[in-house]
Amino acid sequence: MDRIARELRQPVRVSSSLDDRVMSAVRQVPPHARASLWSRLTTPRSVMVTPLTWGVLAASLALFAALGAAHAYQDVHRAAAPIAKALFPKADTPQRAQRVQFVLVAPDAKKVAVVGDFNGWDASHAAFQAKHRGGGVWSVTAPVPVGHHRYSFVVDDSVWVADPTAPRAVDNDFGMPNSALVVPNPE
Amino acid sequence: MNRLARAFVALTLVAPAARAQDPSLAAKLDRPTLLAVTAIIDSARAAKLPTKPLRDKALEGAAKGSDGPNIVVAVHHLSIRMGSAKRALRPGAGTDEIKAAAGALDAGVSTHDLARLQSAAGKRPVTMSLAVLTDLIGRQVPIPTATDLVLQLERSGVKDGELSLFQRNVRADIDRGADPAAAATTRARGLVQRGGGAPTSPRSSGRAD
């Protein structure tokens, strides 16, 4: 027992080259993948960038910004379209029109005009002044937007006459009758 | 992004539009009438109703020499009728359909029958059907009879051109002295038979609900 204790108390003699050999062996062990990636990300290092690389990087950023701006523009345009359409229905959708002939038999008339939703009920509208075709027949052919309209004839600037050949519009709010006109879409 | 964009555009566009007054109305209406009509139009716009028919109604009143209060009442009534018409028609109904439906309501057609007509037409516009229906009622065809006949024509898939011809034929028959209901029923039967089916007997009396 005493001999064993004496042996253990003896100082350990280590070769002076042991550290070098151990470290050399450690360096030869392949590094762990995760440790390597983390190490690469966190270890400060110097990066050499050529002017060409800077140019490519700047062009990429510019392209990214342009695509973003285009997307944002489309977004705003899409959002604005229904609002603008509701507020200004005629601003971006020109109404299609068809030429419509209006005929009234009024042998004693001196002047006949057509007024309606399509001309702001304006009896002086030049395109809707009927001409006397002879035999008491007055007519005018004028462009009328596609859709449902109410209209009437004004004889001698004073007498309102519904078109006897057209459907009647029953809304008689102002004591004078109107006719209805549905102009179909040409397509 | 969408919400922000919508809010921005709405604020930008709505604010000046709410203050704007239609120049053609301003030229034809006196100041109090103009303010009242503009308020009705703004309310209609907020309710997503078409505003052009209201503007046209005001211009019609001015052209016919009506006084301001009458114009305001007429525009207001039209906005109410258009609201009822819009609720009765399909969600995507256009301005012309709503306008024609408002005219039909004015003639005495019920919102229930408007909905039936819209249901029969499916996605097809009912503008012409409503114009013909309103005309028949204006020519003294009883409302239930006229409604049922136009419903049957719509269910038969009759086209707008045929409906227009039907209206002209009925008018000619009535002008020659025919009973309005008999003329309309006879002409409708002929049109439907050409299309493949005969109309059933229309309701003979009573106003639609």
Side-chain angles (χ1 to χ4, degrees), chain A residues 150 171-175, chain B residues 37 40 53-54 57-58 60-61 66-82 106:
Chain A
R150 297 168 309 116
D171 57 336
N172 195 11
D173 294 305
F174 305 113
Chain B
V37 168
I40 296 169
L54 299 174
K57 176 62 74 179
E60 178 195 351
S66 189
D67 59 14
N70 269 346
I71 293 173
V72 173
V73 167
V75 173
H76 180 58
H77 282 170
L78 178 57
S79 75
I80 291 172
R81 288 197 302 270
M82 286 201 305
D106 204 27

Side-chain angles (χ1 to χ4, degrees), chain A residues 102 114 119 124-130 140-143:
Chain A
F102 299 92
V114 181
N119 66 0
S124 63
H125 197 294
F128 290 89
Q129 302 299 317
V140 59
T141 302

Side-chain angles (χ1 to χ4, degrees), chain B residues 178-201:
Chain B
D179 172 72
T185 305
T186 304
R187 289 291 182 178
R189 182 179 294 123
L191 193 51
V192 172
Q193 281 174 341
R194 265 188 294 170
T200 55
S201 297

Side-chain angles (χ1 to χ4, degrees), chain B residues 90-137:
Chain B
R90 66 190 159 88
T95 298
D96 292 316
E97 287 175 282
I98 292 173
K99 188 174 160 186
L105 288 176
D106 204 27
V109 177
S110 68
T111 53
H112 174 69
D113 283 335
L114 277 187
R116 288 171 67 207
L117 191 61
Q118 177 69 82
S119 174
K123 290 183 178 175
R124 282 178 294 143
V126 290
T127 312
M128 179 61 87
S129 303
L130 289 169
V132 171
L133 173 58
T134 305
D135 176 66
L136 292 178
I137 294 168

Side-chain angles (χ1 to χ4, degrees), chain B:
Chain B
M1 181 64 195
N2 248 339
R3 280 187 186 172
L4 273 177
R6 279 173 197 272
F8 174 77
V9 173
L11 282 173
T12 308
L13 296 181
V14 169
R19 290 193 301 270
Q21 288 173 343
D22 191 308
S24 59
L25 286 179
K28 298 282 174 69
L29 303 177
D30 59 51
R31 181 80 179 153
T33 307
L34 175 65
L35 289 176
V37 168
T38 303
I40 296 169
I41 289 175
D42 285 345
S43 299
R45 184 182 293 117
K48 296 183 178 172
L49 290 173
T51 57
K52 186 177 181 300
L54 299 174
R55 175 180 163 276
D56 290 335
K57 176 62 74 179
L59 291 174
E60 178 195 351
K64 290 180 175 177
S66 189
D67 59 14
N70 269 346
I71 293 173
V72 173
V73 167
V75 173
H76 180 58
H77 282 170
L78 178 57
S79 75
I80 291 172
R81 288 197 302 270
M82 286 201 305
S84 302
K86 190 181 178 192
R87 285 189 291 276
L89 298 176
R90 66 190 159 88
T95 298
D96 292 316
E97 287 175 282
I98 292 173
K99 188 174 160 186
L105 288 176
D106 204 27
V109 177
S110 68
T111 53
H112 174 69
D113 283 335
L114 277 187
R116 288 171 67 207
L117 191 61
Q118 177 69 82
S119 174
K123 290 183 178 175
R124 282 178 294 143
V126 290
T127 312
M128 179 61 87
S129 303
L130 289 169
V132 171
L133 173 58
T134 305
D135 176 66
L136 292 178
I137 294 168
R139 293 181 192 280
Q140 309 307 315
V141 177
I143 294 173
T145 305
T147 305
D148 280 356
L149 290 175
V150 173
L151 261 169
Q152 287 164 24
L153 293 174
E154 196 62 67
R155 287 188 185 123
S156 303
V158 169
K159 294 186 171 69
D160 280 0
E162 294 170 313
L163 273 171
S164 182
L165 180 64
F166 163 76
Q167 180 272 329
R168 285 200 296 271
N169 287 337
V170 172
R171 185 200 69 222
D173 292 344
I174 294 172
D175 286 348
R176 283 194 287 267
D179 172 72
T185 305
T186 304
R187 289 291 182 178
R189 182 179 294 123
L191 193 51
V192 172
Q193 281 174 341
R194 265 188 294 170
T200 55
S201 297
R203 283 179 281 172
S204 56
S205 64
R207 189 188 161 106
D209 46 347

